[in-house]
């Protein structure tokens, strides 16, 4: 079974391969995630060539169905995040 890598594990692996402290790597990762989040929330497209592209998309209002009762419900328009894998990430998986 594949290993699940969380932020702590990722920071530990990067720290070991770069001779930086795990605290510094964690701080950099926190800032990276914060910048990507705020840019996408503002409607900007974030692209890290070869790895991924993240962008905010709009969803239209629509009619849904409550799975418990079967009653129709109105689902409001909103926003979603679209992540697209880049060529280097795709090639690493093949």
């Amino acid at each position: 079974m594949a290993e699940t890598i969380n932020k702590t594990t990722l920071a530990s692996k990067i720290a070991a391969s770069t001779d930086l402290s795990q605290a510094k790597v964690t701080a950099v990762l926190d800032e990276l995630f914060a910048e990507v989040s705020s840019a996408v929330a503002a409607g900007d497209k974030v692209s890290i060539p070869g790895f991924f592209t993240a962008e905010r998309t709009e969803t239209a209002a629509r009619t849904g169905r409550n799975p418990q009762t079967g009653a129709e419900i109105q689902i409001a328009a909103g926003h979603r995040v679209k992540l697209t894998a880049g060529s280097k990430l795709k090639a690493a998986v093949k």
Side-chain angles (χ1 to χ4, degrees), residues 73-94:
I73 57 172
Q74 293 300 316
I75 301 171
H79 297 100
R80 304 285 184 262
V81 177
K82 177 182 173 186
L83 291 173
T84 306
S87 59
K88 289 180 184 178
L89 185 57
K90 288 178 184 178
V93 174
K94 289 186 178 185

Side-chain angles (χ1 to χ4, degrees), residues 7-48:
K7 187 174 83 169
T8 304
T9 307
L10 181 62
S12 176
K13 288 183 178 203
I14 292 171
S17 65
T18 61
D19 293 329
L20 294 173
S21 71
Q22 188 167 343
K24 286 183 181 180
V25 174
T26 299
V28 170
L29 288 175
D30 287 341
E31 191 58 32
L32 171 68
F33 298 148
E35 287 299 319
V36 170
S37 297
S38 65
V40 172
D44 297 333
K45 184 176 183 178
V46 176
S47 179
I48 299 179

